[in-house]
Amino acid sequence: MNKEFRVLSRPYMVWLSVLVFFPILAMIFIGFSNLDSSVSIGEISLSFSHLNILTQSSTIIAFRNSLIFALATTFICFIFGYFIAYEIKLSKFKNKFVLLTLVILPMWSNLILRTESLANIMSENNILKSLLGFNIFGNIAGTWMAVLFGLVFTYMPFMILSVYTALEKIDFALEEAALDLGLTPLKKFWKVVFPLSLKGVVTGSIMVFLPTLAGFAIPKILSRGQIVFIGNIIDNKFIYTNYNHGALLAVVILIFILGSILLITKFDKEGETLL
Amino acid sequence: MEKQYASIKDYGYRDFTKLNKIYSIIKKLLVILIVLGLYLSIIVIAIQSLNESRNLSSFTRLSFQWYLNIVREQELMNAIKNTFLVSSIATVLATFLGTFFAIGLYALSKKSRVLWMLLNNVPILNADIVTGFSLMLMFRLLMVVFPNIFGLFTLVMAHLFFTMPFVILSVMPKLKETDPNLMDAALDLGIKPYKALIKVVIPAIKAGIFSGMLLALTMSIDDFVISYFNTGSGFDNLSIWIYAVIGRRNLTPSVYAFSTLLTLFTMIGLLTYQFLQRQKKGKNNEKNSTSSVSSQS
Amino acid sequence: MKKIVLVAFLLSLSFVLVACNSKPKLRILNWGEYINDEVVEKFEKEYGIDIVISVADSNELFYSKIKSKTTAFDIVIPSDYMIEKMVEENMLLQLDYSLLPNRSLVTYMDGVNQIFASMTETTFARSGLNINYNNYAVPYFWGTFGIIYNNRVEGLEEALEEHGWAVYFEPNNYFSSARRGMYAVPQFAYASAMMYLGNNPNEYNSALLAQTKTVLQNSNFVEWGNDTLKRNIEANNLDMAFTYTGDYLDRLYIQLSEGKTLEEVRATFDIYIPDTTMVFIDSMVIPNTAKNIEGAHQFINFLLDPENAALNAEVVGYAVAFEEAFDIILSYLNSEDIEMKNWATANSIYYNMEIERTYYPLTSLQPSIIDSISTMIDQVRTG
Amino acid sequence: MENKKALIELKNISKSYDDELVVKNVDLTIYENEFLTLLGPSGCGKTTILRMIAGFIKPEEGEIIINAKVFNDLPPYARPIHTVFQKYALFPHLNVIDNVAFGLNNRTWNYLENFYGKAKIESEIKELSKHKPISVKKAIKNLIYKDSLQALKLVKLEGFISRKVDQLSGGQQQRVALARALVNKPQILLLDEPLAALDLKLRQNMQYELKEMQRNLGITFLFVTHDQEEAMTMSDRIVVMKEGVIQQLGSPKSIYNEPINRYVANFIGETNIIKGTYIKKDLVNFLDVDFKCMGYKFAEGEKVDVVIRPEDFDVVDLEKAKLVGEVVFSLFKGVHNEYEVKVGMEKLLVHTYESYEVGQPIGLTIDPYEIHMMKVDDSEQGV
């Protein structure tokens, strides 16, 4: 591309630098200072006293919950999401764009509405039961199964999109070559298709893992408040204007995020499969 | 001489033809189940919107009253209007600016392009609550100069911040796919660089721009946390409104009706698009069939 | 090129939309669905002012919205303890009663006056300031808290009437299989446990914190929710929950409007209001960032008219704060209109002012105490 | 040819895409150890035939018989056939040697034991066990590695074993693709325009090498190309195709010299096609002159097309000439001169070593055995 166009990227560089670095620095600053609503500019000082929040049993358990659920969600999304992405790729339906849009279409409805409606039908007595006469979920409201179900089916579109993008880029001739060299379709999948789609799996996994790890609305609604995620704790800290603790916990999340970004760059140099 | 048929077993493979049939049935079942899972909440919302009763836990009678009621719910209508205003402005701006920024980034040397694409990932992957809160802190600083900044402006800016990276991400691979000589050819024909950009490059990356736009819209329309921190002047979008109302009071079922309409209209739009495409293709095929032999590869 | 035109068009459209309303505006920060649209329309018509309503779902969010100054709201409707905090932090304007002539038309209910007095008391105890909250706030709605319960559970109603809080907090002794839910606001959970223990819910020390923690842990709550509590009890997915009395009335009105009788509804689910319980009062205040102070006074004055207050109460399940407005509601007791009659009956049952009760409004606790309480609640919830 | 063993027989094969017949009732026998080329313009169905033999697509009609067995329903992986793809289709996630060993690495142990034979495996075990005992699997792995190395040596790439395939040039990639197919010791190697992406010099080298390899390895090569020169250089037999139908099958020489119709004549190199009349046995009239000819049998007086290759004209003195024309265009082509000679109304293309100027008269004769005749076929309008 013409070097002349480099100038087009300048405004974005400024925009990104300011809006990416300033917030992160602000978070770190608030997390490690005594700044709160009652402190005036002159009295600001460094403070590590907020670090005690990290050792609270509730924080640790919430972190554990977030991590376990994020990992489980990512894994299930990977299995099912990959399957769907592969089926879309194999489908004889020519217009893949329409299929992909159908996959993300549920995301256009409000997340809270969707989650509430799931919570509704997971309860013992619900609207579907009154229509069908039986309960499709049993009574799983408030259990880990309810939360997992909600997380998996909310974030799966990210996995499907990323994996599909990677699958689409695989030259069909490679698959033919594998068959030609004596690989059965199953073996062809494991030896050629899957390794070549790994980029998309990594990106998709991160796209699922991070919002699950940092999210709070879905566990709050679907566990009926019984399973606390780290996001719920951060959310509460912000609501009750304890910005220091909130920011500190957010910084921990941020470390995960930066780690993920590094991981992505290792697998996928220019972020080609990130959706 | 009798015909001999080669069998797959002669060549060291087992015959899975029967298993394959079962497998394909299981596969179809699984696809249906997963798609049902993805759409389960949407289906329930649709059922709730058709329930005459405000009671969400039992279906009394079929009724379309909540659909008619949408226009009468002032706060809801206002929230819908705001959502569309913010999301459409943010999406159009993000698509427009994002495309040109992507072209700019693409023109950079490979090393610095990788670096900036790395930073480009941050708004996508960052936790909403962190992004929302920190953007608010930023805009607070600007309030010294522009006291009435909070509202539409800050909302659009915040939405731009997290939607633009999606556009750039979608456009970039398409830029890489374009013929590097495309631009030179246009310049060679005496077209000025920026005109060539619009006339030659943009049409070549149209698909990427469009999918970027779709993603940007998807992200923008359902955003709650970031909007929440950056709104002002009563400029609440649908997510903020729903969250505030659902927290303590009853949500009018018209919200479900609206949500269902949005899904339905998009689906109808998609199907129409698909139908039109097919018709167009059919016509082209007819035209071409006499003159060309279709390629066999 | 087409896109540039489109952007330009949309941008200009948005500016037109934002700028075209040249009428003066009144920005209100309110709870969701906490106002009758008819009242809004009536006011807008009478005064030629446009009302813009923003909503939030917690007092703390009201506070942070005002504190962050991102929007200049003219009227906010926070609860008692938050008003204390806002006054102490100098965030509110004093009301100009010369602009509120309708004040003379209404008499505050006894309970309301009690709450205002109690607010003054706790503020004095905490900071030594002697503040008359009437100077800052005009009551909007008020109400009690109670235990909403599933009347399909045999004997639960009687047990609650007889043993009160204990039924709710002692699953080992009463209804061990009943599904209990708690309001997911740390201070509410703490306060309810404190009242069960016979304490003033506004007291705090580490021993009390440990005691309440044990109480809450032993209660085996299956849900920590908000509005979901009342819906789950209504749907027979939960048996007991501590919540606003207004939440119950809210569901009650919906059931009544769908043709059920009061008796039928009460037979499926009802609310028990303990003799010692929490109360709240939401009041209209003017933050010192307000732009349209005159309009704010006009609006407050408008709602001080008993007619308007009663009209507003028609869609909101909480109690009106003015005796005159309450009388208007009760006057429907003999109405032909069944809906109005039911509404009046419900008010007379659940906001019966004859019953002697001890009311505790929550006070504004120090951030560090709130933090300890929320951490305690988080620990209970994470098991 | 007749005493050679038939390896592949195509019987009455048809295939259509979107209701369009791209291969029409093709019959073809491919023998052991021959280099057969399918030649034709793009869209003539040659690649479709190749892909049907490889098993990627199924014929709608007819049978594919390999080693006397019907193979129609066998998937590609079960066929003793390997393909070199047009764009090589190397696996980007593997290095060069892993690409080459890919096919063998993914076979079952049973297959590999048969592939190498007990004796070979045992001798390998013996050889390797000198240092420490090894398993059969390890021995087979070792054999695969050795074979892959050998195959790479064959294509002169032994120095590149651990390169990533995207670090190779086009020619090198092409060689890896070849090695990857050859290492499996296929009976038949299908090559789908493998040289199309290479530049001229490289292409000519590869043509030579491919032919050498085929001769040395004793494998049947089925080659697909649209380049007649390539076909001429390498093939034992050529199949000229048009619109899904085989036009002519024969050795390069016979196709060149005795094209069966205008289409083949035009497709295989430059040629002169002149309208003539078959007068009687061994006598034909064209350009108003009677010529002696030999070996053709038509009805007396039948109109025929006479084919004369440009280099088959003998340039002679004017008085000895049977045809006298005028040079209207000349082009120096290095080895020879190319002239356009106008004889009467007809323009002829003539190759000769003699020099003539434009405008000069020129005398031509033709030896009887250089005159080829075809039935007049008006539908064949050349390429």
Side-chain angles (χ1 to χ4, degrees):
Chain A
M1 190 67 55
N2 207 311
K3 286 204 175 68
E4 193 176 331
F5 296 133
R6 286 186 178 182
V7 68
L8 283 175
S9 64
R10 296 279 185 272
Y12 192 57
M13 290 175 171
V14 175
W15 162 276
L16 260 188
S17 325
V18 172
L19 293 184
V20 168
F21 289 117
F22 176 84
I24 293 176
L25 291 178
M27 280 288 134
I28 295 171
F29 176 71
I30 294 172
F32 289 98
S33 73
N34 63 344
L35 187 73
D36 66 31
S37 54
S38 59
V39 173
S40 65
I41 307 278
E43 299 165 0
I44 294 173
S45 67
L46 211 61
S47 154
F48 292 99
S49 62
H50 312 299
L51 283 171
N52 67 356
I53 185 70
L54 298 179
T55 55
Q56 294 286 351
S57 70
S58 50
T59 311
I60 291 167
I61 290 172
F63 242 119
R64 191 199 65 191
N65 287 344
S66 291
L67 262 179
I68 292 175
F69 274 93
L71 287 172
T73 305
T74 309
F75 183 71
I76 298 172
C77 278
F78 156 62
I79 303 278
F80 289 151
Y82 199 107
F83 172 71
I84 291 290
Y86 197 59
E87 287 299 310
I88 292 178
K89 186 189 141 97
L90 292 184
S91 120
K92 293 194 181 72
F93 196 76
K94 288 260 168 51
N95 202 335
K96 301 293 161 68
F97 168 77
V98 169
L99 293 183
L100 291 177
T101 313
L102 284 178
V103 165
I104 57 168
L105 187 57
M107 296 177 84
W108 286 28
S109 295
N110 186 277
L111 177 72
I112 293 159
L113 280 191
R114 278 185 285 149
T115 315
E116 286 270 354
S117 71
L118 279 184
N120 177 355
I121 58 165
M122 282 169 177
S123 305
E124 206 175 325
N125 300 298
N126 62 60
I127 195 162
L128 273 186
K129 191 182 177 188
S130 78
L131 268 178
L132 303 172
F134 64 93
N135 205 339
I136 59 166
F137 276 109
N139 181 19
I140 65 165
T143 65
W144 60 269
M145 284 181 281
V147 179
L148 200 59
F149 184 92
L151 289 171
V152 164
F153 284 102
T154 304
Y155 293 113
M156 201 191 296
F158 288 125
M159 182 67 87
I160 297 176
L161 286 189
S162 299
V163 172
Y164 178 79
T165 315
L167 282 175
E168 194 197 41
K169 285 185 182 140
I170 300 174
D171 187 356
F172 188 64
L174 292 178
E175 297 186 44
E176 286 192 338
L179 290 178
D180 187 76
L181 289 166
L183 279 75
T184 57
L186 192 67
K187 223 163 185 185
K188 171 199 84 181
F189 174 79
W190 283 115
K191 295 287 179 171
V192 177
V193 179
F194 185 69
L196 287 174
S197 63
L198 217 55
K199 261 187 197 180
V201 173
V202 172
T203 340
S205 299
I206 286 168
M207 295 289 289
V208 172
F209 182 78
L210 287 183
T212 324
L213 186 79
F216 57 90
I218 297 174
K220 180 167 146 187
I221 296 170
L222 289 179
S223 79
R224 297 169 103 186
Q226 292 183 89
I227 299 172
V228 178
F229 276 34
I230 192 67
N232 299 107
I233 299 211
I234 298 180
D235 183 38
N236 277 336
K237 296 291 176 196
F238 277 106
I239 288 177
Y240 296 107
T241 58
N242 189 340
Y243 293 144
N244 309 99
H245 281 173
L248 200 65
L249 292 172
V251 168
V252 178
I253 297 273
L254 211 60
I255 292 169
F256 275 90
I257 291 162
L258 291 178
S260 305
I261 290 174
L262 286 180
L263 197 66
I264 283 187
T265 35
K266 218 182 147 190
F267 270 84
D268 185 1
K269 284 249 156 43
E270 297 180 46
E272 281 166 19
T273 53
L274 205 69
L275 286 179
Chain B
M1 196 177 84
E2 196 166 329
K3 257 189 238 171
Q4 268 191 311
Y5 286 90
S7 107
I8 191 161
K9 284 178 193 141
D10 301 344
Y11 295 88
Y13 295 94
R14 267 173 287 176
D15 192 355
F16 287 118
T17 334
K18 271 181 197 154
L19 266 176
N20 276 344
K21 264 180 203 154
I22 300 169
Y23 174 63
S24 80
I25 292 171
I26 294 175
K27 221 164 66 174
K28 269 183 200 132
L29 215 71
L30 199 55
V31 169
I32 292 171
L33 279 180
I34 294 174
V35 171
L36 210 65
L38 285 171
Y39 273 86
L40 185 60
S41 50
I42 306 294
I43 296 168
V44 175
I45 288 175
I47 294 173
Q48 285 168 348
S49 75
L50 292 170
N51 189 2
E52 192 191 33
S53 166
R54 272 171 168 271
N55 190 342
L56 294 180
S57 54
S58 73
F59 195 89
T60 51
R61 213 178 312 149
L62 188 73
S63 155
F64 289 94
Q65 57 171 327
W66 304 117
Y67 286 84
L68 303 172
N69 245 5
I70 297 176
V71 281
R72 264 181 255 147
E73 298 274 353
Q74 251 204 4
E75 283 189 31
L76 173 65
M77 278 309 282
N78 202 27
I80 292 172
K81 205 179 73 192
N82 290 343
T83 305
F84 276 124
L85 196 62
V86 171
S87 291
S88 57
I89 294 177
T91 306
V92 171
L93 277 181
T95 313
F96 181 74
L97 295 173
T99 304
F100 284 103
F101 289 156
I103 291 168
L105 290 173
Y106 184 61
L108 294 175
S109 69
K110 185 158 185 211
K111 213 170 154 190
S112 57
R113 183 170 76 210
V114 170
L115 177 79
W116 286 103
M117 288 306 283
L118 188 79
L119 273 183
N120 186 58
N121 287 344
V122 176
I124 293 178
L125 298 176
N126 211 345
D128 285 354
I129 203 163
V130 178
T131 308
F133 184 68
S134 47
L135 282 177
M136 184 194 84
L137 291 178
M138 281 275 310
F139 294 136
R140 276 285 304 280
L141 293 180
L142 291 177
M143 258 179 80
V144 184
V145 194
F146 309 100
N148 291 325
I149 195 171
F150 273 85
L152 182 64
F153 178 78
T154 46
L155 260 186
V156 168
M157 281 312 214
H159 279 232
L160 263 186
F161 176 65
F162 70 87
T163 54
M164 215 149 46
F166 283 101
V167 177
I168 290 174
L169 271 183
S170 309
V171 169
M172 195 57 93
K174 286 278 175 275
L175 275 174
K176 278 184 207 155
E177 281 167 22
T178 55
D179 183 350
N181 294 326
L182 204 62
M183 196 66 205
D184 297 336
L187 295 181
D188 188 65
L189 292 168
I191 300 169
K192 285 191 183 119
Y194 281 92
K195 196 159 183 193
L197 200 65
I198 290 164
K199 294 270 174 195
V200 178
V201 179
I202 302 278
I205 56 174
K206 222 165 45 189
I209 297 176
F210 193 71
S211 61
M213 189 168 94
L214 194 74
L215 277 172
L217 184 65
T218 308
M219 295 299 149
S220 167
I221 215 161
D222 189 30
D223 173 69
F224 161 63
V225 181
I226 297 173
S227 307
Y228 191 84
F229 282 102
N230 291 288
T231 185
S233 318
F235 217 91
D236 292 356
N237 66 15
L238 196 61
S239 303
I240 299 173
W241 186 77
I242 287 175
Y243 193 77
V245 173
I246 214 167
R248 185 160 140 181
R249 309 285 305 160
N250 287 294
L251 206 52
T252 159
S254 290
V255 182
Y256 303 115
F258 169 73
S259 187
T260 309
L261 281 183
L262 186 69
T263 312
L264 274 182
F265 275 128
T266 322
M267 272 189 174
I268 291 169
L270 272 176
L271 292 178
T272 322
Y273 167 79
Q274 168 68 11
F275 181 71
L276 290 178
Q277 286 266 317
R278 197 174 271 182
Q279 284 226 316
K280 214 164 104 191
K281 228 183 191 172
K283 262 183 201 159
N284 281 347
N285 272 356
E286 254 164 55
K287 237 192 295 171
N288 294 338
S289 60
T290 46
S291 57
S292 81
V293 181
S294 73
S295 143
Q296 71 278 63
S297 58
Chain C
M1 216 36 217
K2 268 186 221 152
K3 271 199 197 120
I4 300 177
V5 175
L6 189 66
V7 173
F9 172 73
L10 273 171
L11 273 181
S12 49
L13 181 79
S14 65
F15 285 123
V16 169
L17 276 174
V18 172
C20 70
N21 269 333
S22 55
K23 270 198 244 171
K25 279 206 174 66
L26 186 71
R27 295 183 202 285
I28 300 178
L29 182 56
N30 196 4
W31 303 82
E33 300 214 327
Y34 200 43
I35 193 163
N36 189 345
D37 285 341
E38 283 178 48
V39 171
V40 175
E41 278 162 36
K42 194 173 165 197
F43 176 79
E44 283 179 336
K45 215 175 274 170
E46 242 171 71
Y47 290 84
I49 292 178
D50 262 345
I51 290 184
V52 183
I53 296 179
S54 291
V55 284
D57 73 333
S58 77
N59 276 305
E60 287 68 24
L61 281 172
F62 284 160
Y63 172 82
S64 65
K65 285 226 159 186
I66 305 294
K67 192 82 181 176
S68 73
K69 298 191 176 115
T70 53
T71 303
F73 290 105
D74 300 311
I75 289 183
V76 192
I77 311 181
S79 307
D80 32 54
Y81 72 95
M82 192 46 73
I83 292 174
E84 289 178 33
K85 188 175 163 87
M86 285 173 170
V87 168
E88 278 168 46
E89 290 185 25
N90 239 340
M91 292 159 69
L92 301 183
L93 286 182
Q94 294 223 19
L95 297 175
D96 182 349
Y97 273 93
S98 68
L99 296 174
L100 303 174
N102 287 351
R103 175 67 185 87
S104 58
L105 296 180
V106 295
T107 321
Y108 289 178
M109 289 195 147
D110 274 350
V112 173
N113 284 327
Q114 269 181 49
I115 297 171
F116 270 52
S118 152
M119 283 164 71
T120 307
E121 213 173 287
T122 46
T123 308
F124 186 76
R126 185 170 53 239
S127 55
L129 295 169
N130 192 1
I131 291 162
N132 179 0
Y133 280 96
N134 277 308
N135 290 342
Y136 294 93
V138 167
Y140 187 71
F141 282 112
W142 72 298
T144 51
F145 282 71
I147 298 167
I148 183 169
Y149 61 92
N150 184 357
N151 222 351
R152 284 159 287 209
V153 177
E154 200 85 13
L156 188 54
E157 183 175 18
E158 293 75 21
L160 278 166
E161 295 287 351
E162 196 176 336
H163 306 287
W165 287 111
V167 180
Y168 179 60
F169 278 111
E170 294 173 17
N172 291 333
N173 300 331
Y174 307 96
F175 297 92
S176 59
S177 63
R179 300 158 294 182
R180 294 166 166 82
M182 174 51 90
Y183 213 90
V185 171
Q187 211 182 336
F188 288 4
Y190 175 77
S192 63
M194 286 290 280
M195 287 184 293
Y196 157 69
L197 292 169
N199 299 323
N200 180 336
N202 291 322
E203 275 174 34
Y204 173 84
N205 61 47
S206 49
L208 288 172
L209 189 71
Q211 267 182 307
T212 51
K213 186 177 177 183
T214 319
V215 168
L216 292 168
Q217 270 170 339
N218 290 339
S219 309
N220 299 334
F221 294 120
V222 297
E223 174 162 9
W224 291 80
N226 35 43
D227 69 323
T228 53
L229 297 169
K230 58 182 177 185
R231 288 210 309 257
N232 277 327
I233 294 214
E234 182 186 18
N236 195 10
N237 290 324
L238 197 67
D239 297 323
M240 269 186 282
F242 178 66
T243 188
Y244 291 96
T245 306
D247 270 1
Y248 171 71
L249 291 178
D250 189 40
R251 299 312 303 174
L252 177 71
Y253 291 162
I254 287 171
Q255 296 255 5
L256 293 177
S257 73
E258 283 170 5
K260 294 228 173 86
T261 66
L262 193 59
E263 287 70 34
E264 276 170 352
V265 180
R266 293 188 71 184
T268 49
F269 69 117
D270 206 341
I271 191 160
Y272 162 74
I273 302 165
D275 294 338
T276 305
T277 191
M278 256 160 64
V279 283
F280 76 94
I281 185 162
D282 289 339
S283 308
M284 294 175 278
V285 295
I286 305 176
N288 57 13
T289 51
K291 292 263 170 61
N292 188 355
I293 295 166
E294 193 195 341
H297 279 93
Q298 281 170 338
F299 185 77
I300 294 173
N301 191 45
F302 180 77
L303 276 182
L304 275 167
D305 185 328
E307 293 277 348
N308 294 332
L311 178 67
N312 201 17
E314 270 181 38
V315 298
V316 181
Y318 298 90
V320 286
F322 317 134
E323 278 176 12
E324 292 76 6
F326 196 64
D327 289 342
I328 293 175
I329 294 170
L330 292 185
S331 72
Y332 289 110
L333 273 173
N334 302 317
S335 165
E336 297 287 299
D337 187 334
I338 301 211
E339 226 172 280
M340 295 305 254
K341 189 181 168 183
N342 278 330
W343 174 46
T345 317
N347 259 284
S348 72
I349 296 171
Y350 296 102
Y351 292 118
N352 186 348
M353 299 304 146
E354 316 284 286
I355 298 176
E356 279 289 319
R357 287 197 176 96
T358 317
Y359 292 138
Y360 287 116
L362 291 185
T363 186
S364 164
L365 297 173
Q366 281 166 20
S368 63
I369 294 178
I370 291 187
D371 204 49
S372 306
I373 292 176
S374 9
T375 306
M376 182 272 282
I377 297 294
D378 280 339
Q379 280 165 354
V380 171
R381 287 171 63 179
T382 53
Chain D
M1 277 304 167
E2 280 72 34
N3 49 8
K4 273 198 170 179
K5 201 179 139 207
L7 207 55
I8 302 178
E9 288 169 83
L10 305 184
K11 286 195 173 161
N12 202 24
I13 295 283
S14 294
K15 175 79 190 171
S16 59
Y17 287 117
D18 301 333
D19 301 329
E20 211 166 324
L21 218 52
V22 289
V23 173
K24 294 171 198 160
N25 307 90
V26 165
D27 283 300
L28 181 65
T29 307
I30 302 164
Y31 297 99
E32 224 171 29
N33 217 349
E34 73 167 328
F35 198 124
L36 182 76
T37 300
L38 296 177
L39 177 65
S42 66
C44 74
K46 56 189 192 304
T47 303
T48 309
I49 290 179
L50 195 80
R51 290 168 60 79
M52 284 193 284
I53 295 173
F56 298 131
I57 48 181
K58 280 187 183 170
E60 276 147 15
E61 266 175 56
E63 283 171 346
I64 296 171
I65 298 166
I66 303 174
N67 291 328
K69 283 181 184 166
V70 179
F71 260 71
N72 283 28
D73 292 329
L74 247 63
Y77 54 87
R79 301 188 183 202
I81 295 173
H82 293 293
T83 310
V84 175
F85 291 87
Q86 189 170 8
K87 283 174 184 151
Y88 322 133
L90 298 181
F91 303 116
H93 59 300
L94 303 174
N95 63 16
V96 169
I97 188 113
D98 287 343
N99 258 287
V100 175
F102 188 79
L104 291 175
N105 272 339
N106 289 299
R107 294 281 184 176
T108 58
W109 295 112
N110 266 340
Y111 177 95
L112 290 168
E113 268 168 34
N114 286 330
F115 182 78
Y116 283 113
K118 278 231 155 62
K120 199 169 179 191
I121 294 170
E122 263 159 32
S123 79
E124 180 72 17
I125 291 177
K126 209 173 277 171
E127 193 184 319
L128 284 174
S129 297
K130 278 174 198 159
H131 308 292
K132 59 176 185 209
I134 63 157
S135 64
V136 175
K137 287 183 182 180
K138 193 104 194 255
I140 291 177
K141 282 272 162 211
N142 213 47
L143 282 170
I144 294 175
Y145 184 78
K146 274 187 182 169
D147 271 6
S148 307
L149 215 55
Q150 187 62 37
L152 280 172
K153 213 173 259 172
L154 190 72
V155 297
K156 305 192 181 80
L157 276 178
E158 61 267 45
F160 293 83
I161 49 171
S162 54
R163 277 283 175 95
K164 280 259 167 200
V165 289
D166 53 10
Q167 293 167 329
L168 299 177
S169 72
Q172 288 166 334
Q173 290 188 4
Q174 205 272 321
R175 284 156 190 268
V176 175
L178 201 59
R180 185 177 68 177
L182 289 174
V183 78
N184 300 291
K185 303 200 168 57
Q187 281 181 293
I188 311 141
L189 190 64
L190 310 178
L191 299 105
D192 185 6
E193 307 218 15
L195 307 181
L198 305 181
D199 59 46
L200 184 65
K201 191 87 185 142
L202 209 54
R203 195 156 70 215
Q204 282 167 346
N205 281 341
M206 277 313 293
Q207 284 170 11
Y208 171 74
E209 282 183 33
L210 276 177
K211 182 65 198 166
E212 273 297 305
M213 238 176 253
Q214 189 262 331
R215 210 171 281 151
N216 295 338
L217 295 168
I219 300 175
T220 300
F221 274 34
L222 179 59
F223 194 92
V224 160
T225 184
H226 63 268
D227 182 339
Q228 51 93 13
E229 212 178 300
E230 209 166 271
M232 291 288 163
T233 319
M234 298 189 286
S235 317
D236 295 327
R237 290 196 299 158
I238 295 176
V239 178
V240 183
M241 294 193 63
K242 182 197 171 194
E243 286 171 14
V245 177
I246 294 182
Q247 300 292 313
Q248 190 171 3
L249 170 85
S251 67
K253 209 167 185 172
S254 72
I255 285 190
Y256 186 81
N257 287 328
E258 295 159 39
I260 202 162
N261 55 30
R262 272 172 181 260
Y263 174 82
V264 177
N266 272 318
F267 196 78
I268 306 287
E270 293 166 305
T271 193
N272 298 291
I273 299 171
I274 311 154
K275 284 185 174 26
T277 315
Y278 186 82
I279 296 171
K280 59 177 192 190
K281 190 172 182 299
D282 294 347
L283 197 66
V284 62
N285 175 288
F286 57 91
L287 295 171
D288 296 331
V289 179
D290 286 350
F291 287 87
K292 276 193 176 167
C293 61
M294 46 204 289
Y296 290 92
K297 184 97 183 91
F298 291 96
E300 287 187 13
E302 189 183 337
K303 298 274 178 206
V304 291
D305 279 333
V306 178
V307 180
I308 299 161
R309 296 285 171 189
E311 66 275 20
D312 290 346
F313 286 105
D314 292 325
V315 176
V316 293
D317 293 342
L318 290 179
E319 50 271 30
K320 289 183 192 165
K322 292 203 81 168
L323 292 170
V324 176
E326 184 196 342
V327 175
V328 292
F329 180 79
S330 93
L331 198 65
F332 178 61
K333 283 226 160 167
V335 187
H336 61 260
N337 293 296
E338 183 177 297
Y339 298 112
E340 222 176 276
V341 177
K342 198 169 173 194
V343 180
M345 295 306 289
E346 204 81 28
K347 277 182 185 166
L348 302 176
L349 208 60
V350 176
H351 289 175
T352 178
Y353 305 117
E354 319 278 333
S355 318
Y356 284 84
E357 296 287 317
V358 172
Q360 261 186 307
I362 182 169
L364 303 169
T365 62
I366 312 151
D367 291 331
Y369 54 88
E370 305 277 29
I371 295 173
H372 305 289
M373 280 172 275
M374 330 180 280
K375 262 193 178 310
V376 174
D377 183 0
D378 286 332
S379 66
E380 303 292 344
Q381 288 306 316
V383 191

